[in-house]
Amino acid sequence: MTNADFEKLVDTSDEWIVSRTGIRERRIAADDMTSADMAMEAARRAMDMAGCTHEDIDLIISGTVTPDYRLPSNSCVMQEKMGFPNAVAFDVVAACAGFINGMSIADSYISSGAHRRALVIGTEKLSYFTNYKDRNTCVLFGDGAGAVVLEPCDSGSGVLSTFMKSNGSMRSWLWSKVGGSRNPYMADFAFDGSDKIQMAGSEIFKVAVKEMSNAAATVIKDAGISSDDVSLFVPHQANIRIVEAMAKRLHLGMDRVFLNIHKYGNTSSASVPLALDEANREGRIKPGDYVVMVAFGGGLIWGSALVKW
Ligand code: UT7
């Protein structure tokens, strides 16, 4: 969907959306394509790239807030459809930080020796969860999925440090009020958008800039390197102004920050793996490079990871 499509739906303009967010287009999944379907496509491509089989995977973690079912997890849906005979599969509900939190969990499990090879996914069908009558939110979100395979290595490369943090006191700044056991759907539900994404955008904006900057700085410090050593920053793509403000706080030129928000909008947990994959395929990441990923989302929750490629 382009910004022109939204001009027909709500009182907005291409000029407002581009200047306030950096978004020009987003991808909307077909009606019969679910978040697990997208995740499976991403998983297949990641396993092809890693040269591993379904038997090799013993851990599947999907970050998603838009699973196919409330029960079971998307990861178990994938396991049933694709067949991972040796894996344990579960989801992480950490909104836009879901992929990075999944990576952090997988890194800990692999480092401890409990698991050997993990498939970590970020997948969202946010279009199902978006109120297309609310101009404050509808122009922002898109659908997508991305995945990585993680395994042990001895070369000094890989995940060097991760960081996760949350603050539940701001949970209603980005939430979906109706549809859970606190506020179940009732027969007289008004379809007023209260079961879709609701967001206090400008409040979140300030916290996102501060905490994404802190999270990025933390993993750099923990890995014992300096931000000058980092070749590429791959941030959550929620708003180009958030990313630019973060870069300014970290004294980074935008030439070291990967952006693809103009094509996809905010895809929540899919945002970082989509950006990482595009950066890699475009040759922006070379062996030995330090890459920092950082994300922030509803919870509020945020996290970061530093990898040596
Ligand atoms: O994914 C993880 C978490 N989410 C985020 O990180 C998102 C963080 N927040 C944001 O990205 C930005 O706050 C938004 C893009 C959501 C909004 O941008 P803003 O610069 O903070 O705008 P605002 O909410 O302060 O609204 C400014 C004006 C308002 O009009 P008035 O009250 O000044 O007359 C809004 O009603 O812009 C209006 N507005 C729009 N106008 C045209 C809000 N949405 C739109 C729109 N088109 N789509």
Side-chain angles (χ1 to χ4, degrees), residues 43-121:
R44 276 188 205 103
R45 295 192 200 181
M47 288 194 301
D48 277 354
M49 204 182 238
C52 69
T53 67
H54 295 73
E55 284 76 23
D56 297 330
I57 301 289
D58 63 1
L59 177 65
I60 304 169
I61 306 177
S62 302
T64 187
V65 288
T66 52
D68 285 23
Y69 306 101
R70 197 155 288 163
L71 183 74
S73 68
N74 253 21
S75 297
C76 280
V77 171
M78 288 176 64
Q79 187 174 29
E80 188 254 339
K81 293 198 173 172
M82 293 176 79
F84 292 95
N86 304 314
V88 60
F90 56 89
D91 288 0
V92 171
V93 182
C96 311
F99 172 77
I100 287 185
N101 283 16
M103 251 185 68
S104 178
I105 295 165
D107 175 50
S108 300
Y109 284 17
I110 291 170
S111 301
S112 75
H115 291 270
R116 286 267 331 151
R117 201 166 281 108
L119 183 57
V120 182
I121 301 147

Side-chain angles (χ1 to χ4, degrees), residues 19-287:
S19 63
R20 295 294 193 135
T21 71
I23 302 168
R24 293 180 186 276
E25 298 175 4
R26 346 64 206 120
R27 268 59 212 168
I28 306 297
D31 285 347
D32 61 353
M33 173 165 278
T34 69
S35 61
D37 294 333
M38 289 186 279
M40 287 191 284
E41 186 59 37
R44 276 188 205 103
R45 295 192 200 181
M47 288 194 301
D48 277 354
M49 204 182 238
C52 69
T53 67
H54 295 73
E55 284 76 23
D56 297 330
I57 301 289
D58 63 1
L59 177 65
I60 304 169
I61 306 177
S62 302
T64 187
V65 288
T66 52
D68 285 23
Y69 306 101
R70 197 155 288 163
L71 183 74
S73 68
N74 253 21
S75 297
C76 280
V77 171
M78 288 176 64
Q79 187 174 29
E80 188 254 339
K81 293 198 173 172
M82 293 176 79
F84 292 95
N86 304 314
V88 60
F90 56 89
D91 288 0
V92 171
V93 182
C96 311
F99 172 77
I100 287 185
N101 283 16
M103 251 185 68
S104 178
I105 295 165
D107 175 50
S108 300
Y109 284 17
I110 291 170
S111 301
S112 75
H115 291 270
R116 286 267 331 151
R117 201 166 281 108
L119 183 57
V120 182
I121 301 147
T123 186
E124 303 290 2
K125 188 168 182 177
L126 290 176
S127 57
Y128 131 85
F129 211 32
T130 297
N131 177 2
Y132 285 100
K133 293 183 179 153
D134 176 14
R135 72 174 183 172
N136 292 298
T137 55
C138 70
V139 299
L140 304 173
F141 301 113
D143 300 334
V148 297
V149 174
L150 295 182
E151 61 185 20
C153 66
D154 302 320
S155 60
S157 51
V159 181
L160 301 189
S161 53
T162 64
F163 172 77
M164 297 190 280
K165 187 85 173 34
S166 63
N167 183 339
S169 70
M170 293 171 271
R171 66 181 167 80
S172 60
W173 287 9
L174 179 45
W175 71 338
S176 170
K177 190 173 178 184
V178 170
S181 60
R182 172 73 61 190
N183 298 302
Y185 284 108
M186 298 303 214
D188 60 349
F189 181 58
F191 293 100
D192 55 359
S194 53
D195 59 335
K196 305 290 187 193
I197 303 171
Q198 297 172 287
M199 183 167 75
S202 47
E203 285 84 350
I204 289 181
F205 190 110
K206 295 174 203 119
V207 187
V209 171
K210 178 170 164 248
E211 299 301 354
M212 280 173 70
S213 310
N214 290 346
T218 300
V219 284
I220 292 169
K221 184 163 168 275
D222 288 352
I225 62 168
S226 96
S227 73
D228 292 342
D229 298 323
V230 178
S231 303
L232 195 65
F233 286 77
V234 180
H236 172 47
Q237 315 276 316
N239 188 319
I240 195 170
R241 292 186 295 128
I242 292 178
V243 176
E244 286 169 348
M246 179 200 77
K248 199 169 168 199
R249 278 174 83 117
L250 293 169
H251 308 291
L252 296 174
M254 286 302 287
D255 56 323
R256 285 198 288 148
V257 180
F258 190 79
L259 286 171
N260 63 3
I261 188 171
H262 54 290
K263 290 190 281 186
Y264 304 107
N266 181 348
T267 56
S268 187
S269 70
S271 150
V272 168
L274 277 175
L276 184 70
D277 182 59
E278 280 203 357
N280 183 38
R281 287 175 199 272
E282 288 174 16
R284 296 279 304 269
I285 311 175
K286 307 213 165 28

